[in-house]
């Protein structure tokens, strides 16, 4: 049963995308008319977009203007406040434009982006380009094929308003009350639920806080920790009910006398306690791994496993 006494208000992508920070937005005018364009970058934590006013005069040719914007999005104007949007890993290949319609083609590297990062990058690119007066819509393709969302639905043509109704859980940053954590029993072949009070007021996503508690281990001697020593959390995010967890390679080493499936499902069962999480997807150093310690398929999503809970085992 999922339970958590009080969750912080769900962060909407609408808020992140439409209420961007504007700390360095400047405007210059020529003959009473504003020049330049507002560009959108990621904040360093990759949780929201931030605005930056590019003040230089833009080319009259639409394709040249779009190219200029894309080149600007490859570089951060200030590393302390802005993170570049268009990276080499995204594999941008081709730009075409006709009658206010921009088509951007990427290679398969784009499909490997973290889902939360992907939607923020996509929003940043679209909102930046459609800031041009003669650009109305943008479409992304991968090797010429339409891009799809997590439900395999074609995304299609986008403009700035395309992101207004898309909500995304970028994580609950404050929480009160107890959460069920799952540690190993003494035999290392089952899970035992352990109630833990999570402190509020820390600027840490709740799912990351849960994993850090698992890494730290139980505060009682009759339970065992399930996460290998030296394991670190690189990144976490929640989208469409899936919690994406990126560990360093230490996670693959396993824990002596603890079954591999116990290690995996200690994380899964603990995270699925959150109302916003139904499944868990693991990554190692930003990449999906085919198998965990050559024993368990590891590149798909994992759901709660009740069979491993001590007392439910046959």
């Amino acid at each position: 049963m999922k339970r958590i006494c009080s969750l912080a208000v769900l962060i909407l992508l609408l808020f992140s995308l439409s209420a961007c920070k504007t700390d360095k937005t400047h405007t210059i005018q020529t003959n009473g008319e504003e020049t330049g364009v507002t560009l959108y970058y990621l904040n360093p934590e990759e949780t929201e977009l931030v605005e930056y006013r590019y003040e230089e005069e833009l080319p009259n040719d639409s394709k040249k203007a779009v190219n200029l914007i894309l080149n600007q999005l490859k570089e951060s104007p200030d590393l302390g406040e802005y993170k570049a949007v268009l990276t080499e890993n995204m594999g941008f290949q081709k730009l075409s434009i006709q009658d206010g319609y921009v088509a951007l083609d990427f290679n398969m590297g784009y499909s490997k982006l973290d889902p939360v990062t992907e939607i923020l990058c996509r929003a940043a690119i679209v909102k930046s380009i459609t800031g041009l007066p003669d650009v109305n819509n943008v479409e992304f393709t991968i090797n010429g094929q339409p891009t799809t969302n997590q439900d395999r639905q074609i995304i299609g043509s986008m403009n700035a308003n395309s992101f207004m109704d898309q909500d995304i859980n970028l994580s609950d940053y404050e929480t009160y009350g107890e959460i069920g954590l799952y540690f190993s029993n003494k035999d290392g072949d089952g899970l035992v639920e352990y109630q833990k009070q999570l402190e509020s007021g820390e600027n840490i996503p709740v799912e990351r806080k849960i994993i850090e508690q698992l890494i730290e281990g139980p505060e009682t001697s009759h339970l065992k920790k399930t996460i290998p020593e030296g394991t670190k959390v690189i990144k976490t995010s929640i989208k469409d009910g899936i919690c994406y967890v990126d560990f360093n390679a230490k996670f693959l080493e396993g824990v002596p006398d603890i079954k591999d499936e116990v290690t995996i499902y200690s994380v899964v069962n603990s995270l699925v306690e959150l109302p916003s999480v139904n499944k868990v997807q693991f990554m190692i150093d930003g990449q999906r791994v085919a198998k965990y310690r050559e024993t368990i398929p590891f590149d798909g999503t994992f759901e709660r496993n009740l069979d491993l809970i001590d007392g439910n085992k046959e």
Side-chain angles (χ1 to χ4, degrees), residues 93-145:
Q93 301 184 128
K94 183 180 178 182
L95 158 69
S96 59
I97 181 170
Q98 184 175 5
D99 299 329
Y101 182 94
V102 173
L104 302 177
D105 190 50
F106 299 84
N107 64 26
M108 290 303 295
Y110 184 88
S111 63
K112 297 178 181 179
L113 290 176
D114 171 89
V116 174
T117 302
E118 185 277 324
I119 194 171
L120 287 172
C121 288
R122 175 156 47 93
I125 294 170
V126 172
K127 288 168 72 72
S128 297
I129 292 176
T130 55
L132 295 171
D134 48 358
V135 173
N136 301 315
N137 294 282
V138 181
E139 183 173 2
F140 286 23
T141 56
I142 298 177
N143 289 335
Q145 300 300 311

Side-chain angles (χ1 to χ4, degrees), residues 163-210:
F163 302 92
M164 298 296 287
D165 296 324
Q166 295 191 47
D167 62 277
I168 185 168
N169 184 346
L170 295 179
S171 299
D172 305 314
Y173 278 81
E174 291 188 6
T175 183
Y176 301 86
E178 291 186 333
I179 188 73
L181 303 176
Y182 288 85
F183 295 104
S184 173
N185 61 11
K186 283 190 174 183
D187 296 328
D189 62 355
L191 294 169
V192 177
E193 185 178 10
Y194 175 78
Q195 291 295 310
K196 173 72 176 181
Q197 182 82 22
L198 292 184
E199 298 178 0
S200 63
E202 299 182 39
N203 190 28
I204 300 175
V206 63
E207 77 276 6
R208 187 182 185 110
K209 184 70 174 176
I210 287 173

Side-chain angles (χ1 to χ4, degrees), residues 12 57 153 164 197 227 263 278:
L12 297 180
E57 189 171 352
Q153 297 174 330
M164 298 296 287
Q197 182 82 22
I227 309 297
T263 291
N278 298 313

